[in-house]
Amino acid sequence: MRSFRGRTLALIRDFTIDEQLFLYQKTKELKQKWLNREDMSEFQIKGDVNIYIVFVEPSTRTKESFINAAKFHKNARVNIFDAEHSSFNKNESYVDTFNMLTGYGIYSIFVVRTRLEGVPRLLERKVGEFAQRHGIERPAFINGGDGKHEHPTQELLDEFTFLEQNNFDNSHIRIALIGDLLHGRTVHSKVDGLKIFKNVEVDLIAPQQIQMPQHYIEKMKSNGFEVRKFSSIDEYLSNKDVAKIWYFTRLQLERMGEDILEKEHILRKAVTFRKDMLDKVKEGTKFYHPLPRPKIDPEIPTFLDELPLNGWEIQARNGFWVRVVLLSLLGGAVEMERDQSITFQKEEDEYEFIIPTQIVHGTKGVAKEGKRGIKPIENGTVIDHISKGKSTEEIFNTIVKIRKILKLHDCDSADGIFKSADGSYKGYISLPDRYLSKKEIKKLAAIAPNTTVNIIKGASVKEKYRIKLPPKIYNFDEIRCKNENCITHPKNGENVGASFIRIDDRLVCEYCETPHEYSEIWVI
């Protein structure tokens, strides 16, 4: 059996597709038992467990849903953290606070909601390390929403609701996502959440100013989703091929800049349903919304409450059952049979990006004589092919960046720009009597991927490496996530080092998932 104790749900993809489907199956069973007034004790957590509801960012719906789901588990001790009078308002450390709560010795499940992005992932790692040091059972963390990043438990209840509408057939879904797709974390979670369906078609309906961020669209397409974009509901309905599942999100004015707020009326009109649209909607269509709706000018007007289009009320109620089952899993009450179809990815070699290259002797340049330009060297390192194919200005700037970050000002070195036989330009740096450590080569690979490193001994090349973008970049003082709302950003005071994962040819923050070009992560 597979236990979920000590697991963290920071992102929807922290649970495999098989695990999500298992959760939905158990939710279906619990809901049926609840409605039939049958015994539900199999879902209740056994033994001593602390459930902490820690909402540093205000919330009513999600918080109360979790409080009631926690109270379903009669053996659990439910602790509601009063964030208004908490240590967080005194600028005290998240990690220290959760370490202290974990140190009380009883297995704990933390439900955390914050304005800062990446906090649940940070806590999973740092508090998990604390627990290991002290022989305490590793706590579980549930992301109740972190900034505009993700809201995975909302995604769980949404996907369960979509499955329920589909009679639990996950072969296909067509869904329209409507509203503030730029700031709405519930729609961002759908980039991975919808993967439980084997065939996915997504229609994105929003004006350009609040349209889905491009990196999420690219991710949807890489997941195999078919994606279409529309600027308004009117434009969408002018196309006869429309979805039967509509998912609305409110305009998140509190997260918008002044340039967008100035256009609020125009934006709201584009994503608000009207009575004259009713006859253009397919029979059997359901509207969903994470709720609550705005009191003034809601995207789903109240005249729809009594119509069959109303799917948001069942959706909201489903949140209770989904969260009960999620706590059942993390509390160890419900376990999953081990499925042989679930596989784990092979761990990537930390230095797989350093690729040995064949040395061709007898050719001109470094490979033959260990020299480059005006400064031949007997021993040392020559960094070649810097920013090959880019403009001379870009090459020069990259050379300067390499020198600053690797601190190459302490040796008698030379650099320059050469024109290749194919007409393109490339840069080089020669370093007499200086060899780069693996850590320095990793930095170099993140500053200027596709560079060549030549190791010179006795005036000839003894080793030659082509380096590409590393799979993970971390533990460097000179890197920073550009998202100021990320838990790793220095302004937030948590002293968390930035960490990036390579996805294709881009780097994504491991905490808040903000995408970066490799040139954007360096602070010099």
Side-chain angles (χ1 to χ4, degrees), residues 20 32 46 88 142 148 200 202 210 232 259 289 303 341 357 360 374 385 405 435 450 507:
Q20 291 174 54
Q32 195 60 51
K46 317 302 188 289
F88 303 114
I142 299 172
K148 62 180 180 181
V200 181
V202 181
I210 53 173
S232 67
D259 55 332
H289 194 296
F303 75 82
S341 68
T357 303
V360 181
I374 62 171
H385 293 89
I405 294 172
Y435 297 104
N450 301 315
L507 296 170

Side-chain angles (χ1 to χ4, degrees), residues 225-243:
F225 300 179
E226 291 186 27
V227 181
R228 300 187 301 173
K229 291 169 60 177
F230 301 87
S231 62
S232 67
I233 296 177
D234 282 310
E235 181 187 349
Y236 184 54
L237 288 175
S238 67
N239 170 46
K240 294 181 179 179
D241 189 13
V242 299

Side-chain angles (χ1 to χ4, degrees), residues 371-391:
K371 64 178 73 173
R372 176 61 81 195
I374 62 171
K375 193 173 183 67
I377 60 175
E378 293 291 321
N379 300 287
T381 305
V382 173
I383 305 170
D384 198 6
H385 293 89
I386 298 172
S387 297
K388 186 178 186 325
K390 296 187 177 180
S391 69

Side-chain angles (χ1 to χ4, degrees), residues 127-192:
V127 181
E129 292 168 3
F130 167 86
Q132 186 173 13
R133 286 195 299 271
H134 294 280
I136 303 169
E137 186 174 5
R138 186 185 187 94
F141 291 93
I142 299 172
N143 182 2
D146 59 335
K148 62 180 180 181
H149 180 209
E150 279 218 22
H151 195 344
T153 66
Q154 178 68 47
E155 183 61 17
L156 291 175
L157 75 91
D158 288 347
E159 297 301 333
F160 175 77
T161 305
F162 301 155
L163 280 170
E164 197 172 48
Q165 180 176 337
N166 264 17
N167 294 317
F168 292 92
D169 175 5
N170 70 329
S171 61
H172 172 263
I173 188 173
R174 177 163 213 153
I175 184 170
L177 304 180
I178 307 161
D180 189 349
L181 308 186
L182 175 63
H183 302 98
R185 55 193 170 196
T186 61
V187 291
H188 297 166
S189 292
K190 283 170 179 50
V191 174
D192 285 312

Side-chain angles (χ1 to χ4, degrees), residues 441-483:
I441 294 176
K442 188 171 187 176
K443 277 189 179 181
L444 176 62
I447 302 165
N450 301 315
T451 296
T452 301
V453 177
N454 302 275
I455 308 301
I456 314 298
K457 294 180 180 179
S460 66
V461 177
K462 298 300 183 184
E463 299 173 51
K464 186 183 183 77
Y465 301 97
R466 173 75 72 176
I467 55 176
K468 62 180 183 177
L469 199 62
K472 185 174 181 179
I473 301 170
Y474 61 105
N475 284 346
F476 294 147
D477 294 335
E478 304 91 344
I479 60 175
R480 179 180 300 173
C481 177
K482 64 184 179 181
N483 176 15

